[in-house]
């Protein structure tokens, strides 16, 4: 195997003829030397938790996790904030999901809310005194999990795993984080001071 | 030499391509293009063995053996008993053939455990070119089009070109009609498990106003719903297939020309329980053991699914030459469009557009020229050149880059016939040029590769006594790395893994030795094949740590590596008539073993078929009360647990336990008039409705394999007795 320096490959004038004959029915005869831009129909790039202290409206912690170019390219983690909470405080939280590979960014959490009966977000704290309660409901009265109430316990550090599941026809009062297909699965670092 | 090949390549569509099927090769021996069997004729090939699984191992009964390679074929009634199955499933249980499944709908044939890019499928004499690299890429061939399926085992590159490390599959249609008149046949098949119905019809004619001319039209419709296991239905495993073909020819003894066109289109549902978004989903699926959201039977195919269209056009001509020779040349164009649809987009506007997440289009021109001749009476010789140009583009999610691919090759073979001993040898030289175009961070990156290689073979055929034959064959073949192995970068959805190619990969080279013995006596026939294959620089995926962190969690990560691999195995078959009373009562036995190791790590290769055995009894009766060809059979197929698999840490789940399945067959011919008859075949698979999972089914992680299945197959001739083309 040796890299070729000259452009020896003949062009394919006949290709055009076959394209005209309609032998290339769907995508048409794309130019081989001009590969398509990554055109993933829908990706999540960014997961954002925005909180407000229920007792102090000036205490607004937030944290963002962002992957560079969506899913499937060995995405490098571009932003990985730590969520900082106050011991003993309770917060109203909103989960915002974005596709920042589109311009302007798509607010994917709006789409999730619209199809709430097929989606649910699950929260799993680990190594830290944190409880999460659902604060929203879909059309069939099951939680979606975009809006939650977070209660911080004693000081410490740990993680909060956030999982968005697509559960078409599967979501029920017995469905769990193991049900359906995973759209998002990330872990935030959390510190309670 | 090389420049000669490149000239051939540069002539691109003006080139010609060789008819490389052994049938044509054999025909040239008799210097007469008369068909060996015609459409309306039941094949009269003398079977050495007629297996319970309906395999006929033909021993070239009409011609002296023309190859020292181990080969077997399926045709005539034996093939009719497998109509309606995919190409892979129809060929399963031919010696040396197994199938890699991705669920119940996708089947890829494997020869000696090697599949995909390591085998070559010749459809109507032309290399089938589609996406081959994934186990979810089943061959785009309508088996109803075939009059004969042949498997050539072992490295076969000299005649068939690079890549044929495991072997070659030949799919051959009927020769065009030569007798004046109109004829045809209808195949109908029904399957109980997925409530599938198939209809395939062929009409052909040789008009008297067009001397030496003939035409044929053929079409197949296939529709099946959700398959089911003994315990539950498999949602979204329906299939829809529409195929058409047309042929037109003008054939004189010394000269002929024909055109062929076919279109294959399939829509295949992917089992919804297998569609996972992350490794946690896969683990959850395995833990559940039973898929979630099982709903009632349906014919509907929703996302995820594949929609694949393969078009094929070919022009072929032959000319008889001095030295009892025949030149074949053919040019073929193939266009393959594969669209893969994942789950429905969240955005309603996007969902309404129903775009595939991934789409590949590959366009291939092939041109081959061969000359088969007899320099002296006891010699068969062949010279040939082949050329190919290919263009592959994608849209949607990038996984492999766009590429241009040019191949050129030339070969020569010589066989000397002796009284008891034939000797043959052959040489081939190939050159391949590959240029890839990828987009990395918005910038187009192009790479170019050239691979030049030789292939060779040497073999002998001994006829020890009447009915006893031995064959010894040595060959070497190579396979340049595929574009996916060089450049894949990202998530391979079908495999739930992030895969990385390596642009520094070298071609694989196989060294293969095969010994085949056949013996036939009055009441029994047997066949034994043993082989040893060494593949230098075998390309395989090796896990990398840490796993790739993505927004859907951590994914196991693999990179293509190379190491030497060694394989050995054997196939044995026996048919023995133990009673001749009220018909023939035969015992049928078959065994197949394979071991494949990675020489660098000492571990076993992944996804290799486990050892398997067939034991069966068949009763046959030529005639009874106006019915002919009556047969009744029972068989047990036993597959052992694959204990020769890679360490458990290299797979998501350990190999499943072995299993035994009971099958039943019955059939007869019901005469209509003097010459024509309706063929009726009944079959029951997995009669006891056993629960099992197969190691080489990629969906074994998610669900059980198919349960009981009854099949009814009818073949109805369209010929009026007067116009019958049968001989």
């Amino acid at each position: 195997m040796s890299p070729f320096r000259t452009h020896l490959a003949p062009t394919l004038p006949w290709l055009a003829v076959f394209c005209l004959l309609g032998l290339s029915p769907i995508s048409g005869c794309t130019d081989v030397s001009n590969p398509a831009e990554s055109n993933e129909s829908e990706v999540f790039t960014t997961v954002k938790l925005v909180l407000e202290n229920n007792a102090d409206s000036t205490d607004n912690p937030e944290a963002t996790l962002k992957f560079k170019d969506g899913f499937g390219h060995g995405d490098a983690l571009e932003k990985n904030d730590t969520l900082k909470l106050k011991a003993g405080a309770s917060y109203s939280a909103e989960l915002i999901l974005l596709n920042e590979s589109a311009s302007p960014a798509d607010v994917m959490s709006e789409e999730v809310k619209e199809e709430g009966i097929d989606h649910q977000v699950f929260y799993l704290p680990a190594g830290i005194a944190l409880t999460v309660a659902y604060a929203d409901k879909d059309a069939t009265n099951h939680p979606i999990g975009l809006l939650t109430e977070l209660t911080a316990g004693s000081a410490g550090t740990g993680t909060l795993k956030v999982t968005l599941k697509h559960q078409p026809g599967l979501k029920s009062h017995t469905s769990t984080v193991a049900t359906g297909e995973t759209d998002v699965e990330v872990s935030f670092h959390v510190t309670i001071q | 030499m090389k420049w000669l090949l490149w000239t051939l390549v540069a002539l691109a569509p003006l080139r010609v391509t060789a008819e490389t099927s052994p049938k044509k090769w054999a025909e040239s021996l008799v210097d007469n293009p008369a068909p060996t069997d015609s459409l309306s004729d039941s094949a009269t090939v003398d079977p050495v063995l007629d297996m319970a699984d309906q395999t006929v191992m033909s021993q070239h009964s009409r011609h002296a053996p023309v190859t020292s390679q181990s080969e077997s074929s399926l045709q005539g009634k034996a093939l009719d008993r497998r109509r309606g199955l995919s190409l892979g499933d129809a060929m399963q249980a031919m010696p040396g053939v197994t199938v890699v499944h991705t669920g119940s709908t996708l089947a890829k044939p494997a020869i000696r455990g090697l599949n995909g890019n390591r085998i070559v499928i010749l459809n109507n004499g032309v290399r089938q070119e589609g996406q081959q690299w994934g186990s979810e890429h089943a061959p785009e061939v309508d088996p109803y089009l075939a009059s004969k399926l042949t498997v050539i085992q072992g490295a076969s590159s000299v005649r068939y070109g690079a890549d044929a490390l495991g072997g070659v599959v030949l799919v051959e249609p009927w020769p065009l009609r030569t007798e004046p008149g109109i004829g045809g046949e209808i195949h109908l098949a029904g399957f109980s498990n997925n409530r599938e119905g198939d209809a395939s019809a062929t009409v052909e004619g040789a008009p008297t106003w067009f001397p030496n001319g003939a035409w044929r039209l053929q079409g197949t419709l296939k529709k099946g719903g959700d398959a089911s296991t003994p315990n539950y239905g498999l949602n979204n495993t329906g299939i829809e297939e529409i195929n058409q073909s047309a042929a037109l020819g003008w054939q004189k003894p010394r000269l002929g020309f024909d055109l062929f066109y076919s279109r294959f289109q399939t829509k295949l549902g992917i089992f919804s329980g297998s569609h996972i978004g992350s490794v946690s989903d896969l683990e959850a699926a395995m833990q559940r053991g039973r898929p979630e959201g099982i709903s009632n039977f349906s014919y509907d195919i929703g996302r995820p699914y594949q929609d694949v269209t393969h078009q094929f056009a070919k022009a072929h001509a032959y000319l008889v030459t001095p030295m009892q020779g025949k030149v074949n040349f053919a040019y073929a164009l193939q266009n393959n469009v594969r669209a893969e649809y994942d789950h429905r987009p969240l955005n309603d506007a996007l969902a309404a557009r129903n775009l595939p997440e991934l789409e590949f289009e590959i366009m291939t021109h092939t041109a081959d020229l061969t000359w088969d001749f007899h320099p002296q009476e006891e010699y068969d010789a062949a010279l040939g050149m082949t050329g190919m140009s290919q263009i592959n583009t994608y849209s949607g999610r990038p996984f492999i880059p766009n590429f241009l691919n040019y191949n050129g090759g030339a070969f020569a073979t010589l066989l000397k016939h002796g009284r008891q001993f034939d000797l043959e040898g052959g040489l081939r030289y190939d050159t391949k040029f590959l240029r890839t175009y990828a987009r990395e961070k918005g910038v187009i990156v192009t790479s170019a590769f050239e691979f030049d290689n030789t292939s060779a073979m040497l073999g002998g055929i001994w006829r020890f006594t009447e009915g006893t034959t031995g064959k010894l064959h040595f060959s070497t073949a190579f396979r340049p790395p595929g574009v996916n192995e060089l450049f894949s970068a990202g998530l391979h959805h079908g495999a739930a893994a992030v895969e990385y190619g390596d642009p520094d990969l070298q071609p694989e080279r196989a060294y293969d030795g095969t010994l085949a013995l056949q013996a036939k006596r009055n009441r029994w026939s047997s066949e034994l094949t043993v082989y040893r294959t060494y593949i230098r620089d075998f390309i395989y995926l090796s896990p990398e740590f840490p796993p790739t962190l993505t927004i859907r969690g951590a994914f196991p990560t693999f990179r293509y590596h190379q190491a030497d691999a060694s394989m050995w195995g054997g196939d044995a078959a026996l048919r023995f008539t133990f009673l001749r009373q009220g018909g023939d009562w035969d015992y049928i036995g078959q065994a197949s073993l394979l071991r494949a190791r990675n020489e660098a790590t000492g571990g076993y290769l992944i996804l290799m078929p486990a050892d398997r055995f067939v034991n069966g009894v068949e009763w046959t009766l030529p005639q009874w009360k106006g019915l002919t060809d009556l047969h009744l059979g029972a068989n047990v197929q036993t597959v052992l647990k694959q204990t020769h698999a890679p360490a458990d840490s290299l797979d998501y789940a350990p190999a499943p336990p072995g299993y035994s399945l009971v099958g039943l067959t019955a059939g007869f011919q019901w005469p209509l008039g003097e010459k024509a008859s309706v063929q009726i075949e009944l079959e029951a698979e997995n009669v006891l409705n056993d629960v099992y999972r197969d190691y080489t089914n990629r969906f074994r992680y998610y669900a059980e394999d198919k349960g009981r299945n009854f099949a009814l197959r009818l073949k109805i001739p369209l010929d009026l007795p007067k116009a019958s083309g049968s001989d």
Side-chain angles (χ1 to χ4, degrees), chain B residues 626-648:
Chain B
L627 304 178
T628 57
D629 290 323
L630 295 98
H631 66 93
L632 203 58
N635 62 73
V636 180
Q637 190 200 1
T638 303
V639 176
L640 302 185
K641 179 180 168 150
Q642 181 53 292
T643 50
H644 307 281
D648 285 353

Side-chain angles (χ1 to χ4, degrees), chain A residues 4 10 24 27 42 165 180 182, chain B residues 281 292 346 361 406 450 551:
Chain A
F4 238 63
S24 175
S27 65
E42 214 166 43
K165 300 292 286 203
T182 301
Chain B
D281 294 357
E292 54 190 0
L346 281 167
E361 176 167 357
Y406 300 90
E450 190 191 335
I551 199 154

Side-chain angles (χ1 to χ4, degrees), chain B residues 26 125 218 301 464 579 607 644 646:
Chain B
Q218 181 264 357
I301 299 174
F464 302 112
L579 187 64
L607 218 62
H644 307 281

Side-chain angles (χ1 to χ4, degrees), chain B residues 336-352:
Chain B
N336 184 295
V337 178
R338 160 176 293 275
E340 297 183 0
Y341 295 79
D342 290 348
H343 69 193
R344 186 178 170 276
L346 281 167
N347 183 298
D348 289 337
L350 208 55

Side-chain angles (χ1 to χ4, degrees), chain B residues 352-574:
Chain B
R353 289 167 66 197
N354 196 36
L355 296 173
E357 272 61 44
L358 186 57
E359 187 175 88
F360 293 107
E361 176 167 357
I362 184 162
M363 173 110 73
T364 309
H365 303 267
T366 51
D368 301 62
L369 172 66
T370 44
W371 182 33
D372 295 298
F373 62 104
H374 304 274
Q376 284 177 21
E377 193 51 42
E378 69 274 25
Y379 286 96
D380 298 346
L383 292 172
M385 293 178 83
T386 71
M388 180 177 101
S389 68
Q390 195 167 59
I391 182 166
N392 186 77
T393 53
Y394 73 87
S395 59
R397 178 198 310 133
F399 183 69
I400 63 167
N402 286 354
F403 64 83
L404 285 172
N405 179 14
Y406 300 90
N407 292 338
F411 69 89
T413 62
L414 186 67
L415 182 137
K416 183 183 188 301
H417 289 284
R419 213 158 49 85
Q420 273 202 306
F421 177 63
D422 297 344
L423 186 68
E424 71 168 334
L427 263 178
R428 183 187 182 100
Y429 180 81
D430 281 284
T431 181
K432 175 184 172 118
F433 173 82
L434 175 72
R435 182 181 282 277
T436 62
Y437 300 89
R439 196 178 273 275
E440 287 171 18
K441 300 180 184 91
V443 179
I444 296 169
V445 178
T446 167
S447 311
F449 301 87
E450 190 191 335
F451 303 101
D452 303 321
N453 263 297
T454 47
S455 309
M457 62 102 168
L458 184 67
I461 306 162
W462 285 262
R463 286 173 293 276
F464 302 112
T465 59
E466 180 67 33
T468 313
T469 319
K471 291 173 166 188
L472 186 62
H473 187 87
F474 296 100
S475 56
T476 173
F478 79 101
R479 181 181 75 92
V483 171
N484 62 313
E485 293 161 335
L486 294 167
F487 286 108
S488 61
L491 182 82
H492 186 177
H493 275 243
V498 174
E499 294 176 3
Y500 289 103
D502 176 359
D504 292 327
L505 291 175
Q506 300 297 310
E508 296 178 341
R509 176 162 290 279
Y511 301 93
D512 188 69
T514 302
L515 175 68
L517 300 169
Q518 287 184 331
K520 195 185 173 191
R521 293 287 179 277
N522 182 28
R523 292 177 80 125
W524 60 273
S525 55
S526 64
E527 186 171 290
L528 175 71
T529 306
V530 288
Y531 56 89
R532 182 92 171 81
T533 307
Y534 195 85
I535 303 178
R536 211 181 62 205
D537 294 328
F538 185 83
I539 298 171
Y540 66 103
L541 283 169
S542 174
E544 276 205 342
F545 298 95
T548 306
L549 190 66
T550 75
I551 199 154
R552 281 190 223 164
F555 274 79
T557 302
F558 296 87
R559 193 174 291 276
Y560 282 101
H561 286 271
Q562 292 190 292
D564 293 357
S566 73
M567 311 172 69
W568 67 265
D571 295 284
L574 172 71

Side-chain angles (χ1 to χ4, degrees), chain B residues 689-722:
Chain B
N689 216 15
D690 285 311
V691 174
Y692 74 102
R693 296 180 193 226
D694 189 85
Y695 174 67
T696 57
N697 189 334
R698 297 281 314 268
F699 280 9
R700 68 183 172 92
Y701 308 124
Y702 311 110
E704 297 160 5
D705 232 299
K706 264 163 75 167
R708 187 184 291 130
N709 185 25
F710 294 101
L712 170 65
R713 298 178 172 95
L714 299 177
K715 184 169 105 170
I716 306 158
L718 288 178
D719 284 7
L720 295 170
K722 198 171 61 182

Side-chain angles (χ1 to χ4, degrees), chain B residues 136-467:
Chain B
E136 68 276 30
H137 302 156
E140 300 89 354
V141 174
D142 178 10
Y144 278 110
L145 198 57
S147 71
K148 185 177 176 186
L149 299 174
T150 303
V151 170
I152 301 172
Q153 288 191 53
S156 322
S157 283
V158 170
R159 189 82 200 206
Y160 303 105
D163 303 340
L165 303 192
V168 178
V169 176
L170 306 174
V171 181
E172 296 168 66
W174 282 271
L176 281 169
R177 190 183 178 98
T178 47
E179 306 81 5
I182 289 182
E185 64 185 31
I186 293 175
H187 287 269
L188 297 173
F191 300 89
S192 68
N193 186 287
N194 63 341
R195 304 184 206 176
E196 177 179 322
D198 294 8
S200 183
T202 305
V203 186
E204 61 172 20
T208 45
W209 51 265
F210 182 26
N212 306 307
W215 57 270
R216 178 187 300 137
L217 293 171
Q218 181 264 357
T220 302
L221 289 171
K222 201 182 241 195
K223 174 111 180 145
D226 293 345
S228 65
T229 77
N231 292 319
Y232 43 80
L234 298 169
N235 290 356
N236 201 42
T237 51
I239 173 172
E240 281 173 25
E241 201 175 294
I242 304 174
N243 310 319
Q244 305 96 30
S245 72
L248 182 67
W250 179 78
Q251 296 177 315
K252 300 251 288 184
R254 304 198 62 80
L255 166 77
F257 187 75
D258 55 88
L259 295 168
F260 179 87
Y261 170 79
S262 67
R263 185 175 193 277
F264 171 97
Q265 188 189 357
T266 189
K267 185 175 174 184
L268 294 164
I270 310 287
F271 172 49
S272 51
S274 75
H275 207 244
I276 52 165
S278 75
V279 174
S280 322
D281 294 357
L282 192 146
E283 281 161 1
M286 287 190 293
Q287 207 134 36
R288 271 192 296 274
R290 185 187 165 94
E292 54 190 0
I294 296 160
S295 59
N296 291 337
F297 173 87
S298 163
Y299 281 105
D300 296 339
I301 299 174
R303 283 170 177 254
Y305 68 90
Q306 299 182 351
D307 195 331
V308 186
T309 305
H310 189 93
Q311 294 185 90
F312 175 94
K314 177 186 163 192
H316 163 245
Y318 63 83
L319 177 69
V320 168
T321 69
M323 290 199 278
Q324 297 175 61
K326 189 173 176 184
V327 171
N328 277 290
F329 45 95
Y331 161 73
L333 169 71
Q334 295 175 71
N335 178 266
N336 184 295
V337 178
R338 160 176 293 275
E340 297 183 0
Y341 295 79
D342 290 348
H343 69 193
R344 186 178 170 276
L346 281 167
N347 183 298
D348 289 337
L350 208 55
R353 289 167 66 197
N354 196 36
L355 296 173
E357 272 61 44
L358 186 57
E359 187 175 88
F360 293 107
E361 176 167 357
I362 184 162
M363 173 110 73
T364 309
H365 303 267
T366 51
D368 301 62
L369 172 66
T370 44
W371 182 33
D372 295 298
F373 62 104
H374 304 274
Q376 284 177 21
E377 193 51 42
E378 69 274 25
Y379 286 96
D380 298 346
L383 292 172
M385 293 178 83
T386 71
M388 180 177 101
S389 68
Q390 195 167 59
I391 182 166
N392 186 77
T393 53
Y394 73 87
S395 59
R397 178 198 310 133
F399 183 69
I400 63 167
N402 286 354
F403 64 83
L404 285 172
N405 179 14
Y406 300 90
N407 292 338
F411 69 89
T413 62
L414 186 67
L415 182 137
K416 183 183 188 301
H417 289 284
R419 213 158 49 85
Q420 273 202 306
F421 177 63
D422 297 344
L423 186 68
E424 71 168 334
L427 263 178
R428 183 187 182 100
Y429 180 81
D430 281 284
T431 181
K432 175 184 172 118
F433 173 82
L434 175 72
R435 182 181 282 277
T436 62
Y437 300 89
R439 196 178 273 275
E440 287 171 18
K441 300 180 184 91
V443 179
I444 296 169
V445 178
T446 167
S447 311
F449 301 87
E450 190 191 335
F451 303 101
D452 303 321
N453 263 297
T454 47
S455 309
M457 62 102 168
L458 184 67
I461 306 162
W462 285 262
R463 286 173 293 276
F464 302 112
T465 59
E466 180 67 33

